[in-house]
Amino acid sequence: MGAGCHVFGGPCKSCWSGPHPPFAAFAAGRPFAAGRPHPSSTAFSRVPTVHSGTAFPFPVPRPAHVVFSPPTLSFGLAYVRFVNPLTASSAPLAQAAPPPTTHHRPCPPPGQRRSRPSASASLLPFPAPPPPPICVPFHPPPLPPPPPLPCVWVMASALRRVLVLNAGSSSLKYRLFQVDAGGTVGGVLATGAATGIGDTAAGVLDADGVTVPLPAGGGDGANSHAAALKAVMARLAPALGTPAAAAAAAAADPGGGGGGGGGGAAAAAAFAPTLAVGHRVVHGGAHLTRASVLTPAVTAAIRDAAALAPLHNPANLAGIAAAAAATGEGVPHVAVFDTAFHATLPAAAATYALPVDLAAAHGLRRYGFHGTSYAWAARHLAAAVGVPRPALNGVVLHLGAGASAAALRGGVSVDTSMGMTPGEGLIMATRAGDIDAGVVTHLMRHVGMTAADVDDLLTRRSGLAGLAGTPDMRAVLAAADAGAPAARLAVDAYVHRVRRYLGAYLLGLGGDAHVLAFTAGVGEGSPRIRAAVCAGLERLGIVLDGDANEAAAAAAAAGRVVTTISGAASRIRVVVVRTDEEREIAMQVVELLRGGVEGGGGGRPAAAAGG
Ligand SMILES: Nc1ncnc2c1ncn2[C@@H]1O[C@H](COP(=O)(O)OP(=O)(O)O)[C@@H](O)[C@H]1O
Ligand SMILES: CC(=O)OP(=O)(O)O
Ligand SMILES: [Mg+2]
């Protein structure tokens, strides 16, 4: 960090010697111009040492691309320099790049050892240096390079809206939030979801309750994320007010009226850098352990991690590329990682019992997912239970289409059921969860399946879909009620798996849990599953109140985030948390850009981070 550059705090003498150019531009009502590079853009010393104590000692990337440099303290304003999220051209960005993941290193002939990996490439805190690894060739699928964006300056305190994009494999959900002058994420200005992306049939965009077909046969391909994003940005143009979004609206609706797509000229005129975009990114790999402004280095690391989350990261990257192209310059993009919340996993919980050299060379370890949902739960549970967050112990069950469990000790993740990929752990809508690795080799040796076949089987054709013929728990429960044996077995196996993890985590917490929380589609929607999970656990201190359990959905529908469903005799408070991953992402975006609290996704509670 350059002398005098007080990250988050004081004047940045090494950046600006005279009036601060972006502030001058802002004061004059002009869009901010590209700034000259910060002379010390590897500086960002306020990132808390999440690798202290029991935390996993991974190198925490220092987001060199973000430099808070208030020029004049009397104004109380902070500027954030956002460099190009997607190109890798500038020298400071190259410095910021995380260590290369080892699977990109060239391999010697199979079976031969390669030279010892560098310290920065070692992923686990092994006490003794491991022997040189045996090389196993590993080739992640190639992904197209994202489009370039120029450097921009944004005044963080000017943020008034955050667009959150959650790009799934076949869907693109979005929500546009209002942000007030104090940085509080407020009302929803627009919401919607594009579905059917990648299908041969036409996809649809459901925007604020209005369903429209996605454009088919366009120049950039029908039913692609890019096509869906284009349609979404056209709908949002009046609210977004970026020149690129306005141009998209004008192109989609040259008449300028109706359907939410008009107003392009007005939007362009009203352009101001008051918008940020938050992206849900499922896998951040070993190095992206907190919400990060998208830079070439960050984007490259997400691409590296795509091999570990093949259902999710490629879709996330497609969403990022399409959104960056749609918003144009002047808009910071921030990635919020599912894996980040689990950066605190102790080594014992994150380690696979594999040869240490092989694991280190190839990043074979447990990461954990659904961290945005757990961060949201942790935000709300401490207050609901009445303990400070750094003292909060409990178990959270995120039971959605993808499902996982997490144990929180001291408000941070100390164990979780998903592993290197989001395939481990609980039975899910279409994923098998835990399975003997021998099943995989058996299928390959004796059934003739390829790795891709097994991937497809375990991630898309298993779970509830494999057991009961439908991925939807509501349909499975209805079939079970109608007496279908396969559906009954599916429910029993599902509940059995959840209880296996619940028991393990309660034991891991030494019986000292304040709270058991259910969240996500099944966790929030099904009193039956909640009751089955909690049945007979009175001696462990878990006693449901049947009426409260049945009434929880109504409380959630009325806007309540945490609803208690346990009775007075319950030592452990049992609750339903209405998860809101999009709002959590928006909050982390604002927190990051304003330089205040360092994100609930950072694996440490805000208080411990000193924010
Ligand atoms: N009332 C309900 N009872 C049981 N399951 C439900 C209910 N509502 C939704 N679900 C299940 O929740 C799942 C979707 O959960 P959600 O958290 O929205 O998943 P995701 O975000 O991973 O797509 C679906 O598989 C659906 O079957
Ligand atoms: C990580 C994961 O499984 O996400 P989802 O539940 O959205 O599929
Ligand atoms: Mg989900």
Side-chain angles (χ1 to χ4, degrees), residues 4 42 87 130 303 308 327 395 424 437 465 472 499 528 547 575 577:
T42 55
T87 57
R303 208 173 304 131
L308 303 179
T327 58
V395 179
E424 190 179 337
D472 189 329
R499 284 165 64 95
R528 289 240 325 255
D547 292 340
V575 301
V577 175

Side-chain angles (χ1 to χ4, degrees), residues 505-572:
Y505 292 172
L506 290 175
L507 187 75
L509 293 172
D512 184 22
H514 302 109
V515 67
L516 165 62
F518 290 86
T519 193
V522 178
E524 294 169 41
S526 179
R528 289 240 325 255
I529 295 293
R530 294 193 297 262
V533 167
C534 295
L537 300 184
E538 291 80 6
R539 285 206 222 163
L540 293 180
I542 292 173
V543 186
L544 276 201
D545 174 331
D547 292 340
N549 186 34
E550 292 293 333
R560 185 180 287 227
V561 177
V562 180
T563 303
T564 298
I565 58 170
S566 50
S570 196
R571 186 171 47 75
I572 296 173

